[in-house]
Amino acid sequence: MTASTELPLVAFTVLSQCAIGITLLYTLRTATTGQAEANAGRQWLLATVLLGIGLLLSLLHLGHPLQAPRALSNLATSWLSREVLLTGALLGLMAAVAWRLRQQPVVLLVAALGLLTLFVQGRVYSPPGMPALNNAYPFAFFLLTAVSLGAGVAAWFAPAPAQPLVRGVLIGALCMGLLLYLVAPLAWLQSGTVERMTAQQWFGSAYYWVQVILGLALPLIIVLVSRQVPRWLPVLLLLGAVAGRIGFYADTVHAAANMGGLY
């Protein structure tokens, strides 16, 4: 895969995960306080718009965008079909909550559907042809992206009493993200030939180091030192997530790369 051909998927996955993260953090805060927030409509509208834009941009990856509804034709066997169905349903529910349907059971349903969508996205992008990702790593990467971006954006909206909760979630997500992005390639180095090739590609990639330094380590240091989540920090988190996702697609080695070689 090349970075340019996968940009629609980069946009779709990062924006959809940010949208899901916003709803997860809102659900966590309201479940903790037992009360809806005064600016809930703006939060849910932002999540809906981000998810909608991500879906539209994902069509650019298709050779025939007008035939996109055919992606639903294999729900029984295709994780991609399930991803399309769940994302569409999630968009509809987010829009309903943004409009006015903000009862707690509906909010909890959206959060659960968001987590299920992340799981299905993880299955879509863990093909057998990419041994390094044919496991739970994609879901873990996507979940941490959702939580970190969601927490960063939540700092714009959360009332003062909820800011420590948001900051704590962000610190946890960044710590886990750093650990995962360092441990996964190290584990691949101890695995098969294609996994080792993937680790070498990741460690030699500027995209990987931008993700680790700009998108994880630097934000973590900023939040720990400043004891708050600066309003501009989500931009840094987003840049890091985009770089990391480009590398996810461009630098992961397919098993066919060593076809004819010794394994």
Side-chain angles (χ1 to χ4, degrees):
M1 288 183 281
T2 62
S4 60
T5 58
E6 302 305 327
L7 285 179
L9 293 182
V10 170
F12 166 65
T13 55
V14 171
L15 291 178
S16 64
Q17 288 154 25
C18 181
I20 292 170
I22 292 171
T23 63
L24 290 177
L25 266 292
Y26 177 86
T27 304
L28 176 62
R29 297 197 308 275
T30 55
T32 302
T33 63
Q35 296 180 340
E37 295 177 358
N39 55 14
R42 286 187 291 158
Q43 298 181 55
W44 284 91
L45 179 60
L46 176 60
T48 303
V49 169
L50 290 175
L51 183 56
I53 292 173
L55 270 173
L56 288 175
L57 292 176
S58 71
L59 297 178
L60 299 176
H61 187 257
L62 302 177
H64 302 282
L66 295 180
Q67 297 183 20
R70 296 182 62 183
L72 293 169
S73 60
N74 289 309
L75 289 172
T77 58
S78 171
W79 286 106
L80 178 61
S81 293
R82 296 163 188 164
E83 179 191 31
V84 173
L85 177 64
L86 285 173
T87 306
L90 186 62
L91 179 63
L93 279 174
M94 281 185 182
V97 177
W99 180 53
R100 63 176 61 183
L101 194 65
R102 300 192 192 111
Q103 291 84 354
Q104 193 65 11
V106 180
V107 171
L108 290 172
L109 175 62
V110 175
L113 190 60
L115 288 172
L116 181 59
T117 301
L118 291 175
F119 171 76
V120 171
Q121 284 186 353
R123 293 305 303 267
V124 170
Y125 300 107
S126 58
M130 292 185 171
L133 298 179
N134 187 219
N135 44 50
Y137 280 136
F139 171 65
F141 290 140
F142 294 168
L143 177 61
L144 288 171
T145 297
V147 175
S148 60
L149 289 177
V153 174
W156 293 347
F157 299 102
Q163 288 290 335
L165 173 63
V166 170
R167 179 175 175 269
V169 170
L170 180 57
I171 289 173
L174 292 174
C175 288
M176 290 299 296
L178 268 176
L179 181 64
L180 181 64
Y181 272 90
L182 292 172
V183 166
L186 290 174
W188 295 335
L189 285 174
Q190 311 304 317
S191 301
T193 300
V194 178
E195 290 95 323
R196 289 198 300 274
M197 293 169 66
T198 297
Q200 291 162 1
Q201 282 283 103
W202 279 43
F203 281 142
S205 171
Y207 296 123
Y208 172 81
W209 291 109
V210 169
Q211 162 77 346
V212 169
I213 297 173
L214 189 69
L216 294 169
L218 184 58
L220 178 61
I221 293 171
I222 290 170
V223 174
L224 289 174
V225 171
S226 66
R227 298 184 179 276
Q228 60 180 345
V229 181
R231 295 187 63 82
W232 49 264
L233 192 67
V235 176
L236 197 62
L237 295 170
L238 181 62
L239 291 174
V242 169
R245 194 58 45 81
I246 292 174
F248 176 90
Y249 289 114
D251 297 324
T252 302
V253 178
H254 194 279
N258 204 40
M259 188 172 292
L262 295 177
Y263 283 88

